[in-house]
Amino acid sequence: MTIAPSLSRQQPAASVHPGPLLKVEDLSIEFGPKGTAVRVVEGVSFTIDTGAAVGIVGESGSGKSMTSLAVMGLIPSPPGRIATGRILFEGVDLLGLPRSRMPEIRGRDIAMIFQEPMSSLNPVMTIGDQIGEAIKLHQKMGREERRQRVVELLKLVGIPDPERRLGAYPHQFSGGMRQRVMIAMAVACNPKLLIADEPTTALDVTIQAQVLELMHKIRRTLNTTILLISHDLGVIADICERVIVMYAGKVVEDADVKTIFRSPKHPYTRGLLQSIPRLKDENTRLYQIPGMVPLPGTIKQGCPFFPRCPDRIDKCARETPPLLEITPQQKAACWVSAGATS
Amino acid sequence: MLYRLADAIPTIWLVLTLVFIAMRILPGDPAIAALGDGALPEQLAEFREKMGLNVPIWQQYFNFLIGTLTLDFGKSYMNGAPVLDLIARNLPYTIQLTVAAMILGTVIGIPFGVLAAVKRGKLPDSGMRIFSLVGYAVPDFYLGALFLIGFALNLRWFPINGAGSGFFDILHHLFLPALTLALVKAAFIGRLTRTSVLEVLGKDYVRTARAKGARENRVIYRHALRNALLPLATGMGLSLLATLSGSVAVELVFNRPGIGRLLIQSITERDYGVIQGGVVVFALMVVFVNLMMDLLYVVIDPRIRVK
Ligand SMILES: Nc1ncnc2c1ncn2[C@@H]1O[C@H](COP(=O)(O)OP(=O)(O)OP(=O)(O)O)[C@@H](O)[C@H]1O
Ligand code: SF4
Ligand SMILES: [Mg+2]
């Protein structure tokens, strides 16, 4: 029997690349036929340093999933398309790569966990085969060695009795267990960047806590850089040290988690902070930001948050606020917080 | 599985009864059909006596059911040969034809359907649409006749009738009739595959496969196709049954021996025993096909296996 190499020895030390691991610049994503296309993500820019854990937060429909799918090169196309921007991974523009190069990067350098644990596993393949495939696609390894590694991964994500569970099918697992399998699959090749798109949204509260604990463990043991997406600032604060707030396809605030909790600059972020569930006062009704996220394409000019904003001034209706640096740790796209008064 | 077999019994019984009734309702006297218009009354009476046609109708029905249970369908009115022998002699040809058409149709239809789905809206997809329209619109006997005239009569690449003997000769005889049935089938299977693959390609687990770094070919053949086969299996079962009935026309056109031709012949001759025997065999094949489909599901879909 071969002894599988320990998880931390899987890859040589990360290549030394100066600058951030991921740099997204002016990313815009459109849906629909050219001419009548609707922009669901517009002018999004952010960076993620190696080893960091960054969150993206925003209400449903704000473009979080599309932004992360763009990084993976998985925007469903047609009808979707990346209209502008660059996605630099270790300094290389992924959008400029030939299509055939992306599969090498997916799963090996950048991996992703999806929002829907129930439907994201192939129902006719055993989970052992599905995790094994993630390894097989990127690493030369004997059958038995690979099997050992899959068992190790299942152990890492906390699936009891992994040897026996290798041959089980997804329908034999609960939602939480399936998400663990997805995580095992995503970290199988020890990716440099792990994107987790609302990994806990579809799960029960207790299971959510367990999966978040697992994310912590992954970060501790594998040193993976993490991009965590959630509509819950509480979840993000638990894992990340920085957070990007998205609203209607745009970044409206980008700051340290600590800074954002202490002094949020964008009115939308303040609304989000007020709507975090607190365990103590369970019976008080949760605060909800009044109004709804505008449908993509309906805001033609001015600040996208204008219709719902408690602080709005006249200027907001006419001009779209750019994302401005307020302090070196904090950027926000709001006229009022930038000092405008009329 | 045994339970499923027991399930099929009422169906078979119903088919038997319908056939029996249909045979008696159809105009035409089997004795006259067998002996000719000029037969004497005594000869007719003797014939009816021998063939069990002179007893009350309910008893004929009863005898027929008992006979079916013991696989004894009596003798052919026309040539006196046991019905079972006639069927046994013809059945292999029909099976050959159906199986060959099925294989050919699947081998053409599935890749074509996958191609149409993957190149959606492009040339292969339009090709698929035209092909399937033609496949639906052209009746198989017509297509068969075209092939017969074109490739067998004019070009002389293929024999014009019979079933041949010896492996290669059999294949040579089989090709045109099987192709006739297969094209119609491929049109159907191709269309079904296209729909099914298109649906599956939008599933979350296909996105997961891509996220792992699987290349398109792997995504399609490893992840999508196997899931697409689930709905396809039902369609294939239906299509196999359609092939069975299509084989009747094709056997006639190509003048091939087989159950279909035997049936048609015996219907024109009011050969009750042979008709009943033939229909029972057809019904059994249908039941068998359905059972195989159920089995296939169990093989493809692990969710059924566990229950
Ligand atoms: N196939 C599509 N065609 C047109 N619009 C689409 C398509 N897929 C997504 N969109 C739109 O893109 C916008 C952004 O969607 P996205 O999935 O990125 O939101 P999200 O922030 O991840 O929300 P959620 O919290 O619900 O996951 C939405 O308004 C959605 O309606
Ligand atoms: S720019 Fe104006 S409308 Fe927009 S968030 Fe700031 S205050 Fe509100
Ligand atoms: Mg989403």
Side-chain angles (χ1 to χ4, degrees), chain A residues 224-236:
Chain A
T224 316
T225 307
I226 290 177
L227 175 59
L228 175 71
I229 290 162
S230 176
H231 56 247
D232 183 348
L233 254 178
V235 166
I236 287 187

Side-chain angles (χ1 to χ4, degrees), chain A residues 29-32 38-41 56-69 75-76 78-80 115-116 197-198 201 229-231 246 248-249 293-296:
Chain A
I29 302 167
E30 300 182 338
F31 273 87
V38 167
R39 291 221 163 165
V40 302
V41 168
I56 299 184
V57 70
E59 282 167 295
S60 193
S62 53
K64 307 180 298 291
S65 295
M66 287 305 146
T67 303
S68 50
L69 284 173
I75 296 282
Q115 205 166 344
E116 305 86 2
D197 186 359
E198 311 213 23
T201 305
I229 290 162
S230 176
H231 56 247
M246 280 186 77
V293 185
L295 287 175

Side-chain angles (χ1 to χ4, degrees), chain A residues 159-171:
Chain A
I159 297 214
D161 202 0
E163 300 268 353
R164 213 172 48 79
R165 300 297 265 166
L166 282 181
Y169 288 91
H171 70 271

